Amino acid sequence: ISMSLSSPGTDIRGNLGVGAMLSAEEIVCSTQQVITGLEALRGENRGLLESLQGAMESRPASESGGVEQEKSGIVRQSLERIELGLSEAQVMVALSAHLSSLEAEKQKLRVQVRHLHQENQQLRDELGGAQQRLQETEQEAVTLEEQNRHLQFMSSLLKYDQEELQLESVDDLFPSEDVEQSQSKALAAAAAQQGGYEIPARLRTLHNLVIQYASQGRYEVAVPLCKQALEDLEKSSGHTHPDVATMLNILALVYRDQNKYKEATNLLNDALAIREKTLGLDHPAVAATLNNLAVLYGKRGRNKEAEPLCKRALEIREKVLGTDHPDVAKQLNNLALLCQNQGKYQEVEQYYERALHIYQSKLGPDDANVAKTKNNLASCYLKQGKYGQAEALYKEILTRAHEKEFVSVAGDGHPTWSGTADGGGMKRSGSFTMLRESIRRSSEKLVRKLRGIAVEETTPRNAG
């Protein structure tokens, strides 16, 4: 019994002494072995204790049992120590498991810290890039603002330049009718003149916002706003209401600016059907929709399909407004440009001459549309090789512009020249000289293009 009691203690101390030099896993493994040994030893001691108690109980009461009692006391002490050892070993195992879980949590936190550091660095990089882009944008904004002021200054001189007046597309010379109306501040009055009705007050602000965002190129805002207005109109008034056709026209023009020609064509055809049904075949609003559809086809190069639409719009305007109304002249200009793109120069000349006559008689010779129409007619002459007639028109434009803006007329009706005496003569106005030189250069470029000669920049000759 004494040998069996002493050996476990020796094994425990030996394992603990060696464990100080072992790894955590080896210490846990050794502790498990010690627990197994102590449990086995506890079972043996319990068996010994039961046998001693049995022997003491079987011995007669008259006989002395001092030895058995001493042995039983030793065994009980050994059991208490074994229990204490088992408790300590179990605490060590539990502590090891707890430390392992803490280490795992620590590793997890370290990984999260590394990820946070990486994300923080990425955010710093993005912030730095955003700040750099912001600085570049601010610099570009300053540059664009300066360029805008410069262009505004130059526009007064360039508005009579041949290259600026030389417009080949339909909608560049005379924009779509709904665009002209939407850009006007008196939107309701314009809509009433156009279609015989007024845009509802609850949709007028939304309508203006659509046009404003579209003019700024913010189509991601303009399109949903326009669709919302269209949906409200269809719910309140029905799909066949004239106001719905107006919003369809506006949305179609927004789509056209985004080069979504198929969607714009479908919307315009829908608007045309509504206006024909509700307003009649000869209503000015029908003519406006036909004109917008023709402009869309012309923009896509489908001039043969656009021409009959434009002619029908012209017939409606002539019937409703009269043959000498300025809107008729505008439609004649659009029709002339469509025919010019098809090479029908004889018809082009007739349309331009008639439009020019209407503008001069109704709006006066100083109206901007007179100069534009003369310029387009001169361009038609140049393409046919009629240089003399083109030159005469260009001289008329130049002379009228000079008399209107650059020369003051004296009491005797003769123009007076600005400047100072130099060598016995008077100098011509510098602005007039620049205008003449600009038109001369533009005319030379047009002539060279038509003759197949490459246009090269040359030193300008003396004006005049």
Side-chain angles (χ1 to χ4, degrees):
I1 293 174
S2 61
M3 291 178 62
S4 62
L5 289 174
S6 60
S7 58
T10 303
D11 293 339
I12 293 174
R13 288 192 297 271
N15 289 334
L16 292 176
V18 176
M21 302 176 59
L22 300 176
S23 63
E25 294 180 357
E26 292 175 344
I27 291 175
V28 172
C29 183
S30 299
T31 305
Q32 293 287 353
Q33 293 177 358
V34 170
I35 291 173
T36 303
L38 288 174
E39 289 177 348
L41 186 59
R42 182 179 59 183
E44 293 178 359
N45 288 339
R46 285 179 177 175
L48 289 173
L49 181 60
E50 291 176 357
S51 62
L52 288 173
Q53 289 178 351
M56 291 175 61
E57 290 175 357
S58 61
R59 187 182 295 274
S62 59
E63 294 182 2
S64 175
V67 177
E68 286 79 0
Q69 292 179 356
E70 182 180 358
K71 290 180 179 180
S72 297
I74 294 173
V75 171
R76 287 192 180 90
Q77 291 179 358
S78 178
L79 283 172
E80 292 176 357
R81 293 175 182 175
I82 291 172
E83 292 292 343
L84 179 61
L86 283 172
S87 300
E88 292 177 352
Q90 291 173 355
V91 169
M92 290 180 63
V93 173
L95 181 61
S96 176
H98 179 66
L99 292 176
S100 299
S101 64
L102 289 178
E103 185 65 25
E105 187 68 22
K106 184 179 179 181
Q107 293 296 332
K108 186 186 298 183
L109 292 175
R110 286 178 179 174
V111 173
Q112 292 179 356
V113 169
R114 284 197 298 269
H115 289 168
L116 290 175
H117 279 300
Q118 294 175 356
E119 293 178 359
N120 188 25
Q121 186 62 36
Q122 292 176 356
L123 291 175
R124 289 178 181 273
D125 295 340
E126 292 178 0
L127 178 60
Q131 291 177 345
Q132 183 177 0
R133 289 193 297 271
L134 177 60
Q135 294 177 355
E136 294 175 354
T137 303
E138 291 177 349
Q139 294 176 357
E140 291 178 359
V142 173
T143 303
L144 291 175
E145 184 66 24
E146 184 65 25
Q147 292 177 355
N148 184 34
R149 287 195 295 267
H150 177 70
L151 291 175
Q152 289 177 353
F153 169 75
M154 294 298 295
S155 63
S156 60
L157 298 178
L158 294 180
K159 65 181 179 181
Y160 291 105
D161 196 329
Q162 293 292 340
E163 293 181 356
E164 293 296 326
L165 291 174
Q166 184 70 26
L167 301 173
E168 296 293 338
S169 64
V170 178
D171 53 336
D172 286 338
L173 180 57
F174 294 104
S176 301
E177 302 230 353
D178 286 345
V179 172
E180 292 180 337
Q181 294 166 4
S182 300
Q183 292 174 347
S184 172
K185 294 182 179 179
L187 181 63
Q193 293 176 1
Q194 165 68 18
Y197 52 86
E198 182 178 346
I199 294 178
R202 63 188 178 88
L203 294 177
R204 198 172 301 151
T205 301
L206 185 60
H207 176 269
N208 291 337
L209 285 175
V210 169
I211 301 305
Q212 180 182 356
Y213 286 129
S215 63
Q216 296 174 357
R218 300 176 62 183
Y219 301 112
E220 73 280 0
V221 182
V223 173
L225 283 175
C226 196
K227 287 183 177 180
Q228 182 62 46
L230 185 61
E231 183 179 353
D232 292 342
L233 277 173
E234 290 180 338
K235 287 181 179 179
S236 60
S237 305
H239 181 70
T240 59
H241 196 274
D243 291 344
V244 174
T246 299
M247 294 307 300
L248 287 171
N249 268 272
I250 296 170
L251 181 57
L253 296 178
V254 174
Y255 279 148
R256 188 196 67 182
D257 291 340
Q258 296 179 275
N259 298 327
K260 297 181 178 180
Y261 298 121
K262 183 178 179 180
E263 293 86 344
T265 302
N266 294 334
L267 292 176
L268 285 176
N269 283 322
D270 195 7
L272 179 62
I274 294 174
R275 284 181 168 175
E276 287 178 340
K277 181 179 180 180
T278 57
L279 303 177
L281 299 178
D282 296 333
H283 196 277
V286 175
T289 310
L290 288 169
N291 178 74
N292 290 344
L293 195 56
V295 168
L296 181 61
Y297 284 147
K299 195 175 184 69
R300 301 175 64 184
R302 298 165 61 178
N303 299 295
K304 290 184 178 180
E305 298 177 60
E307 184 179 353
L309 298 175
C310 199
K311 286 183 176 179
R312 184 184 167 194
L314 176 62
E315 293 175 358
I316 296 174
R317 293 183 192 276
E318 289 177 336
K319 182 177 180 180
V320 176
L321 304 175
T323 57
D324 56 350
H325 194 276
D327 285 351
V328 174
K330 179 171 63 176
Q331 198 69 53
L332 286 168
N333 267 283
N334 287 356
L335 184 56
L337 286 171
L338 288 174
C339 292
Q340 183 170 310
N341 291 336
Q342 300 178 70
K344 300 178 180 180
Y345 294 112
Q346 184 176 1
E347 298 180 24
V348 173
E349 292 182 17
Q350 295 176 359
Y351 295 143
Y352 277 142
E353 289 173 356
R354 185 182 167 193
L356 184 59
H357 174 72
I358 294 174
Y359 281 135
Q360 288 177 333
S361 61
K362 293 297 181 180
L363 304 179
D366 294 330
D367 186 75
N369 289 319
V370 173
K372 291 179 181 180
T373 306
K374 284 184 178 180
N375 177 80
N376 285 347
L377 182 56
S379 174
C380 178
Y381 286 149
L382 283 175
K383 291 186 177 182
Q384 297 179 79
K386 299 179 180 180
Y387 303 114
Q389 295 170 277
E391 181 181 3
L393 281 178
Y394 285 134
K395 285 182 178 180
E396 290 180 12
I397 298 172
L398 175 63
T399 303
R400 198 67 191 177
H402 172 65
E403 292 176 353
K404 181 180 178 182
E405 296 190 10
F406 295 97
V407 179
S408 60
V409 180
D412 56 357
H414 295 288
T416 60
W417 298 84
S418 62
T420 59
D422 184 11
M426 300 293 291
K427 291 184 177 180
R428 293 186 177 184
S429 169
S431 299
F432 178 56
T433 302
M434 292 174 58
L435 184 61
R436 288 173 58 89
E437 183 63 23
S438 177
I439 293 182
R440 184 192 61 77
R441 289 197 307 268
S442 300
S443 300
E444 288 181 355
K445 289 181 181 179
L446 287 173
V447 172
R448 290 190 181 189
K449 287 179 182 178
L450 292 172
R451 292 180 177 177
I453 302 175
V455 178
E456 298 179 358
E457 291 293 335
T458 59
T459 304
R461 298 177 301 209
N462 292 331

